[in-house]
Amino acid sequence: GAGVSQSPSNKVTEKGKDVELRCDPISGHTALYWYRQSLGQGLEFLIYFQGNSAPDKSGLPSDRFSAERTGGSVSTLTIQRTQQEDSAVYLCASSLLSGPYEQYFGPGTRLTVT
Amino acid sequence: QKEVEQNSGPLSVPEGAIASLNCTYSDRGSQSFFWYRQYSGKSPELIMFIYSNGDKEDGRFTAQLNKASQYVSLLIRDSQPSDSATYLCAVKWGSQGNLIFGKGTKLSVKP
């Protein structure tokens, strides 16, 4: 079946602009997660959705970052007034809300802020 | 502070050998443990998970969990050059949905 998809695959933006990153999870996966990975670094948790609600927003690095999920499916991560330190690969994953909650990742969006 | 620690490597093994990758975690409240493989420029790919003490085998891969020692490992038997990648250990705690990842161990399998 179809896996997690993300768009765009690459995004180059100027400092100060807003960007939107999209994630389409595996069909039937109620949980959706956003992480980011900076060059040579590990994965940093950003936010987690159960259905359309976000019980854990603790990882969002600043109030410039926000995310929403509608219809229990597609999610959008928005970064306002981008800064150079926002440059990273943004990864989305999804899982069922049962069993070991194994997460499956999308291909990621590489964001470069110039 | 929940932390997951891995040796960054690189770990170099000859083709056909057993590669042993190790991971420690900081909190005994952890529930599930995951190993992901990440090729350069690609996203993480789930290899296997384990949540009970002992060994779990899947093909050439064996995950080992020791909750008393807060230690989880991944053994790769008959290592192949195609196994060369960064291996990420991840831990799920309690009712939290998200995973905490280690920084990964880079494995290089030499022909």
Side-chain angles (χ1 to χ4, degrees):
Chain A
V4 179
S5 60
Q6 292 187 245
S7 61
S9 55
N10 278 286
K11 177 72 176 178
V12 180
T13 191
E14 292 180 352
K15 178 181 172 181
K17 300 281 190 185
D18 298 351
V19 295
E20 284 190 352
L21 312 179
R22 175 188 167 107
C23 172
D24 201 340
I26 292 171
S27 178
H29 279 193
T30 312
L32 185 148
Y33 314 81
W34 284 98
Y35 298 86
R36 73 176 176 181
Q37 188 172 35
S38 302
L39 191 62
Q41 299 298 310
L43 274 75
E44 175 189 5
F45 167 71
L46 299 178
I47 189 169
Y48 153 56
F49 287 92
Q50 281 186 10
N52 292 334
S53 65
D56 190 352
K57 302 180 182 180
S58 63
L60 293 177
S62 77
D63 59 7
R64 297 186 295 105
F65 288 72
S66 63
E68 65 175 11
R69 189 179 185 195
T70 55
S73 181
V74 172
S75 175
T76 302
L77 177 68
T78 301
I79 309 173
Q80 296 179 311
R81 305 181 302 282
T82 52
Q83 303 294 312
Q84 287 188 328
E85 61 262 28
D86 299 334
S87 296
V89 176
Y90 288 80
L91 291 159
C92 175
S94 69
S95 78
L96 295 171
L97 279 176
S98 60
Y101 289 60
E102 63 264 38
Q103 296 181 21
Y104 297 91
F105 283 84
T109 293
R110 182 175 298 277
L111 175 66
T112 303
V113 181
T114 61
Chain B
Q1 180 86 1
K2 295 180 173 64
E3 292 182 340
V4 178
E5 300 285 342
Q6 293 182 258
N7 188 321
S8 62
L11 173 65
S12 184
V13 300
E15 183 174 357
I18 296 175
S20 178
L21 303 158
N22 304 315
C23 172
T24 59
Y25 56 94
S26 63
D27 192 305
R28 291 182 184 273
S30 52
Q31 285 192 332
S32 306
F33 307 84
F34 303 81
W35 283 100
Y36 286 83
R37 176 175 62 198
Q38 187 173 28
Y39 293 112
S40 181
K42 301 294 186 183
S43 62
E45 172 192 7
L46 180 66
I47 298 174
M48 62 192 305
F49 62 86
I50 186 168
Y51 46 84
S52 299
N53 274 327
D55 295 0
K56 179 181 179 183
E57 187 173 318
D58 184 359
R60 295 186 296 112
F61 299 97
T62 299
Q64 299 175 317
L65 175 61
N66 184 324
K67 289 189 176 182
S69 300
Q70 296 175 225
Y71 176 94
V72 58
S73 65
L74 180 71
L75 301 178
I76 306 174
R77 289 182 299 281
D78 188 23
S79 296
Q80 301 296 309
S82 58
D83 294 327
S84 298
T86 296
Y87 288 79
L88 303 172
C89 172
V91 181
K92 177 182 177 300
W93 267 278
S95 60
Q96 289 178 269
N98 64 289
L99 301 177
I100 305 295
F101 283 82
K103 291 193 186 316
T105 298
K106 188 170 183 177
L107 173 66
S108 177
V109 181
K110 303 294 187 186

